[in-house]
């Protein structure tokens, strides 16, 4: 059986990345993630990313590039993409808090375990944008 893909959006603006705090399930509530979700059958990863971000934040994003690697998360595999905002201001429909984190603030939130391997490349990207 093929593992189902979950896509997360590392939305970057002005040298910061958008982190979102989960509300469910109870085991993940209060922990932080890249907004996104499961890829539906027949959907490309990019289509899933754009759809999920529209549903969860009410904004349109454009895919810049995928961060390196993929992370097993239980029955799923997580991939994370750098994205830029095209339309709208993020307003959470499922998360209870959003934060824009600079490179030096990435360790300030309690990320889901599967997200942590992406943070070093993300930090390098944000640091480049700051300079
Ligand atoms: N969206 C997202 N999910 C993540 C991340 N890291 C991580 O381990 N996960 C896990 C949590 C969930 O078990 C799974 C994705 O669940 P989800 O609830 O976001 O997916 P979905 O929007 O498609 O939800 P649903 O329709 O199935 O309820 O991946 C991440 O950065 N973003």
């Amino acid at each position: 059986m093929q593992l189902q893909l979950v896509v997360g959006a590392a939305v970057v603006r002005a040298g910061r990345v958008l982190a979102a705090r989960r509300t469910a399930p109870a085991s993940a509530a209060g922990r932080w993630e890249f907004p996104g979700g499961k890829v539906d059958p027949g959907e490309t990863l990019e289509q899933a990313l754009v759809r999920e971000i529209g549903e969860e934040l009410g904004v349109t994003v454009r895919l810049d590039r995928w961060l390196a690697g993929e992370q097993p998360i239980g029955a799923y595999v997580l991939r994370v993409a750098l994205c830029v905002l095209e339309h709208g201001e993020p307003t959470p429909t499922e998360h209870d808090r959003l934060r824009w984190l600079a490179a030096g603030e990435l360790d300030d939130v309690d990320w889901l375990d599967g997200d942590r391997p992406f943070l070093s490349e993300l930090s390098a990207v944000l640091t480049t944008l700051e300079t």
Side-chain angles (χ1 to χ4, degrees):
M1 197 187 81
Q2 227 183 347
L3 290 174
Q4 193 182 352
L5 281 164
V6 170
V7 289
V11 181
V12 170
R13 179 170 72 184
R16 292 170 181 266
V17 66
L18 188 65
R21 193 167 68 177
R22 283 191 78 98
T23 56
S27 57
R31 299 188 69 190
W32 293 75
E33 67 173 8
F34 302 108
K38 301 178 190 95
V39 179
D40 286 342
E43 210 177 30
T44 66
L45 275 61
E46 182 171 359
Q47 285 168 343
L49 198 64
V50 172
R51 174 183 54 75
E52 287 281 356
I53 299 311
E55 291 170 5
E56 294 185 359
L57 300 173
V59 297
T60 307
V61 291
R62 176 170 51 78
L63 174 70
D64 177 358
R65 66 177 172 85
W66 293 95
L67 293 177
E70 54 180 36
Q71 198 57 31
I73 45 167
Y76 309 108
V77 171
L78 175 66
R79 297 214 54 198
V80 176
L82 290 176
C83 295
V84 292
L85 276 174
E86 285 212 311
H87 303 290
E89 185 61 28
T91 307
T93 58
E94 294 177 14
H95 300 91
D96 67 356
R97 213 180 145 198
L98 300 179
R99 279 186 68 177
W100 289 98
L101 302 173
E105 297 169 332
L106 288 175
D107 289 337
D108 290 359
V109 301
D110 182 20
W111 292 96
L112 292 177
D113 296 343
D115 296 38
R116 294 184 192 277
F118 296 97
L119 297 181
S120 62
E121 184 181 357
L122 184 55
S123 175
V125 169
L126 295 178
T127 303
T128 307
L129 293 172
E130 275 170 3
T131 53

